[in-house]
Amino acid sequence: MTAPRSRLTEMLGGYRRTAAVYLAAALGIPDLLIDGPRSGLELASLTGVGEERLRQVLRALTALGILGQDPGGRFFLTETGDLLRTDHPESLYGQAIYFGGLSYRAYGGLHESLTGGGVAFDHVFGIGYYEHLDRHPELAGHYHKMIALAPGMAQLIDGLFDFRPYRTIVDVGGGNGSLLTEILTLSPAARGIVFDLPLAADAGRKTVADRGMGDRCDVVSGDFRIAVPPGGDVYLLSRVLANWSDENAVKILSNCRDAMGNDATLLVFELLMPERVAEGAFAVDGDLNALAHFGGAVRTRSRFERLLAEGGFHLAEVREVLPGAHWSLLRCVPEAVR
Ligand SMILES: C[S@@+](CC[C@H](N)C(=O)[O-])C[C@H]1O[C@@H](n2cnc3c(N)ncnc32)[C@H](O)[C@@H]1O
């Protein structure tokens, strides 16, 4: 067990590591080392950064184990550093850019947002999260890759709810359509609508085309705070509500309710916060991210019940997607048919 003082000191220095990894990625250093080691001078000329200043960063990356130095003093990528190459099959380059250039900065606004109101991200960037992504398509690309659900998640969700009897499934905030197209593969008679912001439409259309679903799945653009496509018999809100304040979450739920007939079902797929957490609890990372980026939250079951009731739903059932993982499918029915 590490001594309390060392543990705390390590926590206090976390910002340096995030910043150094971000710099490596943002300066393109990993890709410059794909073909072999390079000297500090070469890297300085290729990145356009002054040699002495770049050396400070290269030394920090070496101390972190991202770079190594050969006997001639040239820098090379370690196995860890390799993961920052853009061509690596398991590349974390996009995460380095996203966490270091966006999340990390947003967290800097948390204190101001907690004491003065508003959303941390908006304080720092001057605009909302999704507007910012809209203006930075490259960042939006990293975001959509990063949030892609793990392969197999659709099968797990499908195992908890039988979509086969339903005709039209509307995935509200459906992102790049990967979840819905997988569900449609498992339910061959159903049709689908991926509904998301215009910024996600290209990615959605590409997934639908790549999976040969053009005749069964439409991609519709809009804002779920204003309205949601009507006429579906199952509505899915997967990993959407955590990104919104209670007030906006109720608005989104009410818009779903308005679009739904009394017999339709709403499925909410979210991480559930346990009523009490212990050290190392994993849901808190998502919770702080939601707070910093959106003023949202990973909610407990009882908080969901309250929000759903305000949005016009009754929480009929909660099923954990994987035991102990807290990812859960909430089956909700419109209030009128309770
Ligand atoms: C965390 S992602 C979840 C994506 C997908 N449902 C999943 O589980 O993989 C949240 C999604 O909400 C979408 N979104 C955000 N604001 C929106 C709005 N006002 N109207 C519609 N979609 C929105 C985002 O573009 C993003 O695709």
Side-chain angles (χ1 to χ4, degrees):
M1 182 66 154
T2 325
R5 193 177 173 83
S6 308
R7 291 185 70 197
L8 191 56
T9 308
E10 188 172 332
M11 289 178 207
L12 292 173
Y15 69 96
R16 266 195 298 271
R17 294 196 291 266
T18 307
V21 176
Y22 170 69
L23 277 175
L27 293 171
I29 291 169
D31 278 3
L32 292 173
L33 297 175
I34 289 176
D35 294 329
R38 290 187 190 271
S39 68
L41 186 62
E42 265 182 293
L43 287 170
S45 111
L46 289 167
T47 55
V49 177
E51 189 191 351
E52 276 317 314
R53 295 168 72 185
L54 188 66
R55 273 188 189 283
Q56 290 175 271
V57 177
L58 296 173
R59 280 195 292 264
L61 292 169
T62 307
L64 283 174
I66 286 172
L67 300 181
Q69 265 188 296
D70 69 12
R74 292 180 311 167
F75 294 94
F76 61 86
L77 289 172
T78 63
E79 213 178 318
T80 307
D82 254 343
L83 290 166
L84 291 172
R85 289 165 35 181
T86 54
D87 68 342
H88 193 288
E90 290 167 33
S91 179
L92 293 175
Y93 168 83
Q95 276 93 323
I97 296 291
Y98 178 89
F99 288 126
L102 187 127
S103 276
Y104 166 75
R105 292 175 60 197
Y107 272 58
L110 271 172
H111 183 256
E112 196 180 348
S113 80
L114 290 179
T115 53
V119 178
F121 187 96
D122 304 17
H123 279 299
V124 174
F125 288 87
I127 52 170
Y129 181 88
Y130 287 110
E131 286 143 286
H132 184 77
L133 288 194
D134 208 18
R135 291 182 196 181
H136 297 86
E138 194 196 321
L139 214 47
H142 294 316
Y143 167 75
H144 280 288
K145 260 192 223 141
M146 208 174 67
I147 60 159
L149 277 170
M153 198 51 105
Q155 273 95 332
L156 289 174
I157 292 177
D158 190 74
L160 297 180
F161 182 83
D162 185 7
F163 289 91
R164 282 160 204 79
Y166 298 93
R167 286 187 321 273
T168 308
I169 306 165
V170 185
D171 192 356
V172 179
N176 68 3
S178 55
L179 176 62
L180 184 57
T181 47
E182 266 191 79
I183 289 174
L184 290 178
T185 308
L186 298 166
S187 294
R191 295 185 52 81
I193 297 174
V194 180
F195 179 69
D196 206 292
L197 290 170
L199 70 87
D202 285 347
R205 277 192 277 269
K206 182 172 183 323
T207 311
V208 169
D210 288 352
R211 297 196 176 166
M213 293 266 169
D215 54 339
R216 291 176 57 205
C217 189
D218 296 325
V219 175
V220 176
S221 296
D223 183 338
F224 51 41
R225 288 168 302 177
I226 297 173
V228 164
D233 36 24
V234 179
Y235 283 75
L236 191 56
L237 273 173
S238 162
R239 305 189 303 163
V240 164
L241 295 176
N243 292 359
W244 297 93
S245 64
D246 283 0
E247 190 190 341
N248 277 312
V250 169
K251 182 79 192 128
I252 296 164
L253 288 167
S254 304
N255 286 342
C256 289
R257 177 66 190 95
D258 289 346
M260 291 166 65
N262 286 345
D263 300 330
T265 300
L266 172 71
L267 296 174
V268 173
F269 177 56
E270 280 291 348
L271 201 52
L272 278 196
M273 180 62 77
E275 293 294 340
R276 294 171 71 100
V277 297
E279 190 175 335
F282 125 99
V284 299
D285 287 350
D287 193 28
L288 266 194
N289 277 345
L291 184 66
H293 295 158
F294 312 104
V298 172
R299 299 180 170 92
T300 57
R301 178 188 173 127
S302 52
R303 193 162 162 196
F304 259 119
E305 267 164 342
R306 282 201 305 278
L307 288 191
L308 285 163
E310 281 183 53
F313 292 94
H314 165 66
L315 177 57
E317 188 186 14
V318 177
R319 295 186 68 185
E320 264 193 357
V321 173
L322 283 173
H326 303 304
W327 281 105
S328 301
L329 193 67
L330 284 63
R331 185 168 62 80
C332 315
V333 292
E335 271 296 341
V337 293
R338 181 140 60 120

